[in-house]
Amino acid sequence: MRYNHLRAVSALAGLSILGGLALTGCSSAESTASAEEPAAAASSRDDYHATVRERTSGLDGHTVYHPADLSAFPDSSVPVLAWANGGCRTSNIAVTSFLSGVAAQGYIVIANGALDELPVDQLPDDTLARPDRLTDAIDWAADSDEAAEQLGHKADSDKIGVMGTSCGGVEALLAAADPRVKSVAGLNTASSPISDSGTSGTR
């Protein structure tokens, strides 16, 4: 499947959070905390965690984000999200802050792209959706000894989601066919009509 920038329109097309994988957000009470006590309001949160960003042991071309102190979680209790980048790129550096914020809420996030891989300019016609990179991440988290050791046996293989933006959202939607996937989020993702060649483009 080719990723084609046919229009400059971006749409949020599909945020399906299933099976207990919904992202945690601030409650209305927390979001309307008194302006006179901002420090107290911030320090009262006990569901955010310091995070680390590191190489995936035994899995090339990926980066893992997770709470720094995984010992604070019971075994097999931390949901796993596999992330695909905009443009189907293999660098996640541009979304480091976002993915760290997701991990801070108690998630293991495995992102496409090696730890130090920089973005590379590419033409839309040369951009190929690779959902297999997300399923590789799922295989690693769910089945590999390297992941079990690196993540302290904390990954919950019954709570696996795939997520991405733009072309990466297409990768997530395609990878969601894997029966292990319980949640899928495609951000700013849409598909174009079937072309004359019989293939579907994306934008």
Short mmCIF file of all heavy atoms in Angstrom, two decimals, residues 23-33 41-42 44-45 47-48 105:
data_model
loop_
_atom_site.label_atom_id
_atom_site.label_comp_id
_atom_site.label_asym_id
_atom_site.label_seq_id
_atom_site.Cartn_x
_atom_site.Cartn_y
_atom_site.Cartn_z
N LEU A 23 -6.59 5.35 27.36
CA LEU A 23 -5.57 6.19 27.97
C LEU A 23 -6.15 6.95 29.13
O LEU A 23 -7.27 7.43 29.10
CB LEU A 23 -5.02 7.20 26.94
CG LEU A 23 -4.28 6.57 25.75
CD1 LEU A 23 -3.82 7.67 24.81
CD2 LEU A 23 -3.08 5.80 26.25
N THR A 24 -5.38 7.09 30.19
CA THR A 24 -5.80 7.82 31.37
C THR A 24 -5.62 9.30 31.14
O THR A 24 -4.58 9.75 30.72
CB THR A 24 -4.96 7.40 32.59
OG1 THR A 24 -5.07 6.00 32.75
CG2 THR A 24 -5.44 8.10 33.84
N GLY A 25 -6.65 10.08 31.46
CA GLY A 25 -6.55 11.54 31.34
C GLY A 25 -6.88 12.19 32.65
O GLY A 25 -7.30 11.55 33.61
N CYS A 26 -6.70 13.52 32.72
CA CYS A 26 -7.02 14.26 33.92
C CYS A 26 -8.53 14.27 34.10
O CYS A 26 -9.27 14.44 33.16
CB CYS A 26 -6.51 15.70 33.83
SG CYS A 26 -4.73 15.82 33.77
N SER A 27 -8.99 14.13 35.33
CA SER A 27 -10.40 14.28 35.61
C SER A 27 -10.77 15.74 35.58
O SER A 27 -9.92 16.63 35.61
CB SER A 27 -10.73 13.70 37.00
OG SER A 27 -10.16 14.51 37.99
N SER A 28 -12.08 16.03 35.53
CA SER A 28 -12.50 17.42 35.47
C SER A 28 -12.08 18.16 36.72
O SER A 28 -11.74 19.34 36.70
CB SER A 28 -14.02 17.51 35.30
OG SER A 28 -14.68 16.83 36.35
N ALA A 29 -12.09 17.47 37.86
CA ALA A 29 -11.67 18.12 39.10
C ALA A 29 -10.20 18.50 39.04
O ALA A 29 -9.80 19.57 39.49
CB ALA A 29 -11.93 17.19 40.29
N GLU A 30 -9.39 17.60 38.46
CA GLU A 30 -7.96 17.87 38.37
C GLU A 30 -7.68 18.99 37.38
O GLU A 30 -6.80 19.81 37.59
CB GLU A 30 -7.23 16.61 37.96
CG GLU A 30 -7.22 15.56 39.06
CD GLU A 30 -6.91 14.18 38.51
OE1 GLU A 30 -7.07 13.97 37.31
OE2 GLU A 30 -6.52 13.32 39.30
N SER A 31 -8.44 19.03 36.28
CA SER A 31 -8.18 20.03 35.26
C SER A 31 -8.64 21.40 35.66
O SER A 31 -8.26 22.39 35.06
CB SER A 31 -8.84 19.62 33.95
OG SER A 31 -10.24 19.57 34.11
N THR A 32 -9.49 21.48 36.71
CA THR A 32 -9.97 22.77 37.18
C THR A 32 -9.42 23.08 38.56
O THR A 32 -10.05 23.73 39.37
CB THR A 32 -11.50 22.80 37.21
OG1 THR A 32 -11.98 21.73 38.04
CG2 THR A 32 -12.07 22.63 35.80
N ALA A 33 -8.21 22.58 38.85
CA ALA A 33 -7.60 22.81 40.16
C ALA A 33 -7.41 24.30 40.39
O ALA A 33 -7.22 25.09 39.48
CB ALA A 33 -6.25 22.11 40.23
N ALA A 41 -1.56 20.90 43.39
CA ALA A 41 -2.36 20.10 42.46
C ALA A 41 -1.48 19.14 41.67
O ALA A 41 -1.82 17.99 41.47
CB ALA A 41 -3.13 21.03 41.52
N ALA A 42 -0.32 19.62 41.22
CA ALA A 42 0.58 18.77 40.44
C ALA A 42 1.13 17.64 41.28
O ALA A 42 1.23 16.51 40.83
CB ALA A 42 1.71 19.62 39.87
N SER A 44 -0.21 16.20 43.72
CA SER A 44 -1.21 15.27 44.22
C SER A 44 -1.44 14.09 43.28
O SER A 44 -2.04 13.10 43.66
CB SER A 44 -2.55 16.00 44.42
OG SER A 44 -3.09 16.39 43.17
N ARG A 45 -0.94 14.20 42.04
CA ARG A 45 -1.11 13.11 41.10
C ARG A 45 -0.22 11.94 41.49
O ARG A 45 0.97 12.09 41.69
CB ARG A 45 -0.76 13.57 39.68
CG ARG A 45 -1.66 14.64 39.10
CD ARG A 45 -3.11 14.18 39.05
NE ARG A 45 -3.29 12.97 38.30
CZ ARG A 45 -3.61 12.93 37.01
NH1 ARG A 45 -3.77 14.04 36.35
NH2 ARG A 45 -3.78 11.78 36.39
N ASP A 47 -0.64 8.92 39.64
CA ASP A 47 -0.76 7.94 38.55
C ASP A 47 0.14 8.28 37.38
O ASP A 47 0.00 7.71 36.30
CB ASP A 47 -2.22 7.82 38.09
CG ASP A 47 -2.82 9.15 37.68
OD1 ASP A 47 -2.21 10.20 37.97
OD2 ASP A 47 -3.90 9.15 37.08
N TYR A 48 1.06 9.21 37.56
CA TYR A 48 2.08 9.50 36.54
C TYR A 48 3.43 9.01 37.03
O TYR A 48 3.73 9.08 38.22
CB TYR A 48 2.14 11.00 36.22
CG TYR A 48 1.03 11.46 35.32
CD1 TYR A 48 -0.15 11.98 35.84
CD2 TYR A 48 1.13 11.35 33.94
CE1 TYR A 48 -1.18 12.39 35.01
CE2 TYR A 48 0.12 11.76 33.10
CZ TYR A 48 -1.04 12.28 33.64
OH TYR A 48 -2.06 12.68 32.82
N GLN A 105 1.82 7.30 31.95
CA GLN A 105 0.53 6.93 32.52
C GLN A 105 0.41 5.43 32.74
O GLN A 105 -0.68 4.91 33.00
CB GLN A 105 -0.59 7.43 31.59
CG GLN A 105 -0.59 8.95 31.48
CD GLN A 105 -1.68 9.46 30.57
OE1 GLN A 105 -2.86 9.38 30.89
NE2 GLN A 105 -1.28 9.99 29.43
#
